[in-house]
Amino acid sequence: MLVAVVTLACLGAIFGIVLGFAAKRFAVEVDPRVEELIRVMPGANCGACGMPGCAAFAEAITMGTVKPSACSPGGASLYEKIAAIMGTEVSAYEERQVAQLLCQGDNVHTKMLYRYEGLSDCHVALANFKGPKACKFGCVMQGSCSRVCQFGAIQMGVNGLPVVDYYRCTACNKCVVECPLQLYKLVGVSRLVHVRCVNTEKGKDAKANCATACIKCKICEKNCPEDAVHVVATGDGTVALIDYEKCTNCGICAVKCPTKSIDKIMPLSEEVILEVGETPVPGCTRCGVCPPL
Amino acid sequence: MKKATFRGGIHLDGHKELTSGLETVVAHIPDRVYIPLSQHIGAPCVPLVVVGDQVKKGQKIGASKGFVSAPIHASVSGTVVAIELMEHPGGSFVPCIIIENDRKEEWAESVIPHRDPASLTPDELRAIILEAGIVGKGGATFPSHVKYAPVEGKIVDTVILNGVECEPYLTTDHRLMLERSDKIVAGLGYIMRAVGCERGIIAVEENKMDAVAVMEKAAAEAKNITIVVLKEKYPQGSEKQLIYACTGREVPVGGLPLAVGVIVNNVGTASALARAVELGIPFIGRNVTVSGPGIRNPANYRVRIGTLFSELIKQSGGYVGEVEKIIAGGPMMGKTVFTDNLPVVKGTSGIIIFTKEENRHSKEFACVRCAKCIDVCPAYLEPTSLVRLAKRKAWEDAERMDAMSCIECSSCVYVCPAQIPLIQHIRRAKQAILAAKARPQG
């Protein structure tokens, strides 16, 4: 009995000393900010930021390898908290981006070559004479983007074209990658004026196929007070392009554009500009693991 | 006797009686021909002529670029009036050389009959085949000279001529076997000499017994050529299934028929080849079946390459009823085109017109797991599983399940009780797998 007590006591003492020594000797320096950051994180460990979890994300922030805006579930309130802990300015972080569709050729404005009856998939539709539309640059309207969007931010509209819900869009880039014609572009949410045409054909040919095509008339270029819009060489031809650094959202080009291929949208509310909206699924953290809606 | 065949496949209503009894007639030679610069698998041609040039019949007007390519030739004599982008029956837009016919029908100087075709060496034969622009006439339009080029370590012991024509409606090969059996046998002889093999097989489906009789008579002299009668089943005319039925050999996944020592050619290719070798005439014409319920007088035509579909349809008495679909090729594997303003190309075996009545569309239901598609798949695939993966965009998994082995015969779609467009999903998967391969690694 006594032997057992003494043996255990001795073992306990030896291990205690060894562990106590090891804790001092091999201690790892932890950035105190990491602990603080972990506390303010959403804690869903969803992986939307590309890190294994919130802790890894917090550590990556302190090392400066990732931007706080990578955490889409956190939103603007989180960015503010991170800024307070890290001692940086919130304004240094990027503006929230949303996807913009660069085509307005709906089933009223654009000439169709034939009626497509096949599988509802843009890639499949394009294999047949480059899609049913006469314009070979425009949206094929089969909704691959809306099926790939996990946040329900892209719905097919009644006019055949997909409609982006800027409130729900998280700029996850999935639609940009999916679209076989590269018709999506991620643009800051405060940007209101967009050239919604990528047709690089000559004005006459483009107009023959679509009533809202860019016809390269350069009226936008002449009227822009900020020198922000230009008809630039792209691919085999030219098309109007807005320099968002210079654009002031005045919308003069959109008013002057004869085919209305330049479009000025209504300004979004302050709330939408700062935070990504709720997804249709309660509790969703937009981690991207679930299949598309 | 039990006839040879392959595993899987479906029995289709052939509808061949519409045209199989009709002799091939020469189509009107049009005032203008539209010759696309790409009429084969592989690199497109570079034009050798400019607008305003005078060309003669049989003159080379497009040179092949790269090894897997075939030159193109003028099918009429006349003036080049334009080179512009046009719809191509393959479902794309391709630059076409447009020639205004001067009706002189002058042959080019390069078209000279070969004095002694029996003395040509395999290399000379291959050179003639390349220059004549011979490509597979069955539809895939693979340049023939590439097929015959010797490959290190591979011995070809059998050449199979494909006279199966398993697609419904099409009867061009059937008629060709009846009318040009001597040319087919001669062509097979040249192919065998070009590749240096001893055994030749002409495969015919059992629904064309008249053609079998004619071919047997024509090949009676040639001891090493046999006529094999195959069971009537779709897709019996598919290369790999045909090889299995004729020789019992299975082409490995991702492999060419060459891997099992076989070369397969269409009977039409053989006859075009015989013309090229004996008479020096390049590939400037082909036989086309114009058929289907939407055409007034279905017929078989001998057509110059570059003739518009609309000309043939006009010669057939025009459309009947409400035309809903124009198909270039057979109804199972052909391409639906949206206009008849398209030229006949080297791979156009038929023009099938469907009216609204045949073009039924029903709603797609959920898969009922009946496994009918798996039963009929001649490539031993599981179409339903591939579609499930394709819907999830699991391209890598689809590749692991051999999506690339799909021959796109559409048998699975034909039997699917849930009306799932399986083939389109699989095609999408194949497209994505190829795109992923083309992308640089990293």
Side-chain angles (χ1 to χ4, degrees):
Chain A
M1 170 69 190
L2 189 72
V3 178
V5 170
V6 172
T7 313
L8 276 174
C10 287
L11 273 175
I14 293 165
F15 286 144
I17 291 163
V18 171
L19 284 172
F21 174 74
K24 281 260 167 2
R25 181 75 178 73
F26 304 111
V28 179
E29 285 281 315
V30 179
D31 193 330
R33 292 177 302 178
V34 174
E35 301 271 306
E36 273 182 69
L37 285 172
I38 291 172
R39 230 170 287 139
V40 298
M41 288 289 161
N45 289 324
C46 66
C49 54
M51 300 288 154
C54 292
F57 180 63
E59 211 177 314
I61 289 179
T62 56
M63 294 198 287
T65 51
V66 70
K67 285 189 176 133
S69 52
C71 179
S72 58
S77 56
L78 174 72
Y79 308 155
E80 266 170 36
K81 284 180 199 156
I82 293 175
I85 294 166
M86 298 294 293
T88 46
E89 294 274 315
V90 188
S91 57
Y93 300 133
E94 277 171 21
E95 184 188 8
R96 180 166 102 76
Q97 292 194 313
V98 290
Q100 294 288 353
L101 179 68
L102 306 182
C103 179
Q104 289 188 122
D106 55 22
N107 46 26
V108 180
H109 289 97
T110 313
K111 201 167 100 186
M112 296 287 174
L113 291 178
Y114 57 91
R115 180 165 48 83
Y116 179 71
E117 291 181 334
L119 186 69
S120 217
D121 183 302
C122 300
H123 296 82
V124 175
L126 275 176
N128 215 343
F129 294 100
K130 293 186 185 169
K133 254 186 195 174
C135 169
K136 295 304 168 201
F137 296 83
C139 173
V140 279
M141 311 200 282
Q142 297 305 318
S144 284
C145 52
S146 93
R147 278 189 299 277
V148 88
C149 182
Q150 292 173 317
F151 309 113
I154 304 179
Q155 303 292 337
M156 297 311 286
V158 279
N159 61 359
L161 287 179
V163 181
V164 180
D165 182 345
Y166 304 127
Y167 187 54
R168 283 179 178 163
C169 177
T170 63
C172 69
N173 212 32
K174 282 233 165 93
C175 51
V176 180
V177 175
E178 179 70 14
C179 182
L181 294 162
Q182 286 91 42
L183 287 173
Y184 281 104
K185 195 168 164 185
L186 296 181
V187 181
V189 71
S190 63
R191 304 284 101 207
L192 304 179
V193 185
H194 307 284
V195 180
R196 295 205 196 270
C197 183
V198 292
N199 190 326
T200 58
E201 286 175 321
K202 283 198 184 102
K204 191 176 163 240
D205 302 339
K207 183 82 195 281
N209 294 331
C210 176
T212 67
C214 169
I215 54 165
K216 292 91 197 163
C217 63
K218 300 197 178 179
I219 286 179
C220 50
E221 212 173 297
K222 283 170 206 142
N223 284 288
C224 181
E226 305 291 330
D227 193 33
V229 57
H230 290 281
V231 175
V232 295
T234 324
D236 295 338
T238 57
V239 72
L241 199 70
I242 288 178
D243 182 352
Y244 290 110
E245 301 262 300
K246 290 181 185 166
C247 176
T248 57
N249 283 342
C250 71
I252 291 175
C253 54
V255 174
K256 294 284 181 181
C257 179
T259 58
K260 299 284 166 266
S261 65
I262 303 183
D263 169 40
K264 184 178 178 183
I265 53 170
M266 297 299 284
L268 303 167
S269 67
E270 191 73 1
E271 198 185 325
V272 174
I273 289 177
L274 289 175
E275 293 257 3
V276 180
E278 293 276 309
T279 65
V281 182
C284 169
T285 61
R286 306 180 194 86
C287 68
V289 176
C290 299
L293 288 167
Chain B
M1 195 189 95
K2 199 163 176 277
K3 304 220 166 55
T5 188
F6 61 99
R7 179 210 162 270
I10 49 177
H11 298 277
L12 291 172
D13 200 353
H15 296 286
K16 296 201 187 246
E17 67 289 344
L18 284 171
T19 49
S20 62
L22 304 172
E23 206 160 306
T24 311
V25 290
V26 178
H28 297 313
I29 298 161
D31 293 332
R32 269 187 182 195
V33 290
Y34 303 76
I35 300 174
L37 281 170
S38 177
Q39 300 188 32
H40 47 261
I41 284 185
C45 290
V46 254
L48 294 175
V49 289
V50 289
V51 175
D53 276 7
Q54 288 290 323
V55 292
K56 285 178 180 166
K57 196 166 137 190
Q59 185 183 330
K60 191 156 126 183
I61 52 172
S64 52
K65 199 168 59 171
F67 182 57
V68 184
S69 185
I72 55 165
H73 302 81
S75 55
V76 295
S77 59
T79 324
V80 177
V81 286
I83 300 176
E84 55 187 51
L85 218 58
M86 254 184 90
E87 291 91 351
H88 184 280
S92 55
F93 294 85
V94 171
C96 288
I97 297 176
I98 304 172
I99 303 169
E100 183 91 52
N101 190 358
D102 62 6
R103 304 260 166 216
K104 284 183 194 149
E105 295 288 305
E106 269 178 306
W107 283 100
E109 292 79 21
S110 58
V111 179
I112 32 168
H114 293 278
R115 285 276 157 68
D116 189 12
S119 67
L120 292 166
T121 65
D123 284 333
E124 282 169 338
L125 276 170
R126 276 199 300 276
I128 292 169
I129 292 163
L130 165 64
E131 270 311 297
I134 306 285
V135 301
K137 257 181 170 175
T141 61
F142 192 78
S144 297
H145 70 99
V146 182
K147 256 187 200 178
Y148 310 149
V151 177
E152 198 80 32
K154 296 274 162 63
I155 299 156
V156 177
D157 60 4
T158 311
V159 173
I160 301 176
L161 276 199
N162 184 351
V164 173
E165 203 163 51
C166 55
E167 279 263 10
Y169 291 101
L170 302 187
T171 53
T172 53
D173 291 349
H174 186 187
R175 289 313 304 177
L176 196 78
M177 284 189 282
L178 293 174
E179 293 160 18
R180 290 272 196 276
S181 55
D182 52 332
K183 281 268 182 281
I184 293 170
V185 172
L188 178 56
Y190 296 129
I191 298 171
M192 283 157 67
R193 197 128 52 80
V195 298
C197 86
E198 288 302 310
R199 187 155 77 122
I201 294 175
I202 301 174
V204 190
E205 242 179 17
E206 61 186 338
N207 57 353
K208 293 183 261 295
M209 289 317 281
D210 51 345
V212 172
V214 173
M215 290 311 297
E216 259 167 3
K217 214 169 117 200
E221 301 266 301
K223 289 279 167 288
N224 48 5
I225 295 176
T226 43
I227 315 291
V228 176
V229 183
L230 301 173
K231 208 171 153 185
E232 181 185 356
K233 199 158 84 174
Y234 178 86
Q236 184 68 77
S238 162
E239 199 166 57
K240 288 173 185 174
Q241 281 61 40
L242 185 66
I243 293 170
Y244 180 75
C246 291
T247 64
R249 297 176 200 172
E250 257 184 65
V251 179
V253 171
L256 288 171
L258 201 60
V260 291
V262 179
I263 281 179
V264 180
N265 262 136
N266 192 268
V267 285
T269 317
S271 93
L273 197 138
R275 267 158 69 89
V277 172
E278 287 166 3
L279 306 169
I281 299 173
F283 194 162
I284 57 166
R286 67 155 300 136
N287 291 2
V288 176
T289 300
V290 180
S291 185
I295 194 93
R296 195 167 305 277
N297 306 314
N300 297 301
Y301 292 112
R302 189 160 302 131
V303 185
R304 296 280 172 88
I305 299 290
T307 306
L308 290 182
F309 282 20
S310 52
E311 306 253 358
L312 295 177
I313 287 158
K314 204 165 79 190
Q315 196 175 346
S316 279
Y319 298 114
V320 182
E322 200 175 334
V323 174
E324 192 69 2
K325 240 176 204 178
I326 304 171
I327 301 170
M332 293 297 282
M333 288 195 68
K335 193 103 190 163
T336 307
V337 295
F338 64 89
T339 164
D340 55 11
N341 197 27
L342 292 163
V344 167
V345 294
K346 289 176 182 175
T348 311
S349 46
I351 303 169
I352 313 296
I353 317 289
F354 281 151
T355 57
K356 204 157 192 171
E357 230 157 84
E358 287 79 29
N359 189 37
R360 271 170 304 208
H361 271 270
S362 33
K363 213 175 153 278
E364 180 185 336
F365 295 99
C367 173
V368 294
R369 318 228 156 210
C370 63
K372 272 189 178 169
C373 53
I374 300 171
D375 282 343
V376 300
C377 182
Y380 305 93
L381 299 175
E382 293 177 23
T384 170
S385 309
L386 287 172
V387 168
R388 208 183 59 229
L389 294 172
K391 280 185 177 170
R392 283 213 317 253
K393 297 188 192 294
W395 311 131
E396 280 164 21
D397 292 340
E399 193 183 357
R400 230 168 286 136
M401 288 196 69
D402 288 322
M404 294 310 287
S405 300
C406 173
I407 57 167
E408 303 185 14
C409 67
S410 304
S411 298
C412 49
V413 186
Y414 188 81
V415 295
C416 182
Q419 317 276 357
I420 300 169
L422 295 130
I423 193 70
Q424 298 196 31
H425 284 288
I426 298 173
R427 227 180 257 156
R428 169 76 187 101
K430 285 171 87 171
Q431 206 181 344
I433 291 166
L434 286 178
K437 277 199 185 131
R439 223 174 288 138
Q441 299 294 312

